[in-house]
Amino acid sequence: MSVPLCVIFLRVMPTKKKNSKKKTVVKKSLGAKPARAAKGAATTKRSAAAGTDPRRVAAILAKLDEAYPAATCELKHDNAFQLLISTILSAQCTDVRVNQVAETLYKKYPTPEAFAHASPPELEQEIRPTGFFRNKTKSIMGASKAIIERFGGQVPRTMEDLLTVPGAARKTANVVLGTAFGIASGIVVDTHVIRISNRLDLTRNEDPKKIEQDLMKVIPKEKWILFSHQIIWHGRRVCLARKPKCIECNLEKICYSKDKTI
């Protein structure tokens, strides 16, 4: 028996209405997400800015001046070239160990020419205690040749030029420019600076380049060089990685790090 067309039409219509209601609900649900995300983003922004209030930054700098008024680079050197080589050697190595190696190293290789024409196997053995000695040998010899061939035997005094020297990334360049020449080109970011700038809520980043940019925005330029040394000294003496000596820290009252030991 055939079904009348009017009956088919009545059965189909409710189905269309149900579908349209479902679509409307889905659209409303998707539209609500950006509002929640925006609210969360605003909260994060306020939280990240809390530690960089100018008055708090000034207090931190004052406490660092109080604790380490004469902080400086602890790599022993007689000139900018030796500092460059020692900084290359300091990667993944302590300054104490580098200084031990440097005592005899610079007597055997006193000039860029001496390093540039060194025997790689011999140089590797000389710097072996600093670790990664093969890669460091290539960087040292490459840096020495670049300084001779492109810069007349003198360590360049600009960030742009130094970054073309093998083995010299921003950290190395900032150390050399700041310590050897007194040029505030940026802020040295090593493991201590990464750890402590996060503990003090001066940054929320882990990438050294981003941390440097964050710090340069809140630390006065005239303080960049000294601040770098002070934070490194603080990291080696008090704000240790595993067990910070918070009871000995003059920053304890203005520090709200989750790593505090008291």
Side-chain angles (χ1 to χ4, degrees), residues 142-143 146-147 150-151 156 158-169 173:
I147 288 172
R150 300 206 305 270
F151 302 106
T158 68
M159 175 65 72
E160 182 181 6
D161 286 339
L162 264 174
L163 291 180
T164 68
V165 174

Side-chain angles (χ1 to χ4, degrees), residues 21-153:
K21 289 182 179 179
K22 288 182 179 178
K23 288 180 181 179
T24 302
V25 171
V26 170
K27 286 180 180 180
K28 289 182 179 179
S29 176
L30 290 172
K33 289 184 179 179
R36 289 197 295 269
K39 183 179 179 181
T43 303
T44 302
K45 186 176 181 181
R46 287 194 297 272
S47 176
T52 57
D53 179 273
R55 291 171 297 180
R56 183 172 184 271
V57 172
I60 290 172
L61 294 176
K63 290 295 184 181
L64 289 173
D65 285 344
E66 179 185 297
Y68 315 105
T72 187
C73 180
E74 294 187 294
L75 289 170
K76 295 179 181 179
H77 60 283
D78 292 328
N79 52 58
F81 176 70
Q82 288 184 0
L83 178 59
L84 170 63
I85 300 304
S86 287
T87 308
I88 292 173
L89 291 174
S90 70
Q92 303 297 314
C93 181
T94 65
D95 286 2
V96 173
R97 179 61 58 84
V98 172
N99 289 337
Q100 291 172 347
V101 170
E103 284 185 16
T104 57
L105 184 67
Y106 298 134
K107 292 177 181 178
K108 186 172 182 178
Y109 306 98
T111 63
E113 288 79 8
F115 276 110
H117 301 296
S119 165
E122 288 184 17
L123 183 54
E124 286 176 3
Q125 292 309 307
E126 293 284 347
I127 67 172
R128 190 184 187 97
T130 68
F132 302 97
F133 55 92
R134 291 190 179 88
N135 287 335
K136 289 179 181 180
T137 293
K138 292 178 182 178
S139 294
I140 290 171
M141 294 184 69
S144 301
K145 290 176 181 177
I147 288 172
I148 295 169
E149 296 169 1
R150 300 206 305 270
F151 302 106

